[in-house]
Amino acid sequence: INAEYMGTSTEMSVRALVAQRASQDSYDMANRKHPVGVGHVYCCCCGIVRTGSVGIIESCGKFTEIAQPGFHWLCCCFGTQMAGFVSIRMRDFLVSTQTKTRDDVFVSINVSVQYQAIEESVRESFYKLTDVNKQMEAYVYDVIRSEVPQMSLDELFLSKEKIAQQVKSELGAIMRGFGYSIFATP
């Protein structure tokens, strides 16, 4: 008989809370938002921001400063807290869409968008968008669906670079206002 120690009821409830938090963290990571505690340490009056991220510090619910990587003392008695974290690492997002060409052929197009939060605009990237991927996906759909129906299938294969450049320029201009920089759309 194989048996495993399950622990006391307190240990089991702590395990359940950790499992629940891990499930929420994976959801939040998929949406690219970094709430308090995802890969970072935050405990009452101190916080640690990991390399490749910056922290958002609020006092009584109002933005006060950006916390660079490292250890930070927070005066929690006066309502100062770590509101969340923003990754400043390069990220990749794949958008798949289907559209029809001028010669009535349905094509499936995959666009990979490489983007990064602009370190000087972290405040905008944290507060202006809830889900950056959904926003980018909508803009990529708009560009693809406005360009591809004007081309035949042969023209589409020949103008791959033109479409990639169009997506990068239009998406880059819009996302800069939200605190993100678009590097490539290969």
Side-chain angles (χ1 to χ4, degrees), residues 63-78:
F63 172 80
T64 55
E65 66 179 298
I66 295 170
Q68 296 300 320
F71 182 82
H72 298 274
W73 284 106
L74 303 170
C75 190
C76 57
C77 299
F78 297 108

Side-chain angles (χ1 to χ4, degrees), residues 58-107:
E58 292 180 346
S59 181
C60 297
K62 182 180 178 187
F63 172 80
T64 55
E65 66 179 298
I66 295 170
Q68 296 300 320
F71 182 82
H72 298 274
W73 284 106
L74 303 170
C75 190
C76 57
C77 299
F78 297 108
T80 303
Q81 67 175 1
M82 193 79 69
F85 304 91
V86 175
S87 174
I88 54 173
R89 295 178 179 161
M90 177 80 71
R91 292 179 270 180
D92 187 59
F93 178 60
L94 181 65
V95 179
S96 297
T97 184
Q98 289 188 346
T99 189
K100 188 167 81 168
T101 62
R102 184 176 59 205
D103 47 358
D104 293 329
V105 177
F106 283 90
V107 292

Side-chain angles (χ1 to χ4, degrees), residues 5-87:
Y5 172 70
M6 295 302 290
T8 65
S9 62
T10 304
E11 289 174 353
M12 291 175 69
S13 63
V14 168
R15 287 182 188 163
L17 287 173
V18 168
Q20 180 184 10
R21 179 63 191 196
S23 171
Q24 179 64 35
D25 290 350
S26 64
Y27 170 78
D28 291 330
M29 289 298 286
N31 289 316
R32 304 291 190 225
K33 267 297 185 203
H34 293 272
V36 173
V38 178
H40 303 275
V41 177
Y42 173 70
C43 179
C44 196
C45 292
C46 64
I48 297 175
V49 179
R50 300 185 96 181
T51 301
S53 297
V54 292
I56 303 296
I57 298 177
E58 292 180 346
S59 181
C60 297
K62 182 180 178 187
F63 172 80
T64 55
E65 66 179 298
I66 295 170
Q68 296 300 320
F71 182 82
H72 298 274
W73 284 106
L74 303 170
C75 190
C76 57
C77 299
F78 297 108
T80 303
Q81 67 175 1
M82 193 79 69
F85 304 91
V86 175
S87 174

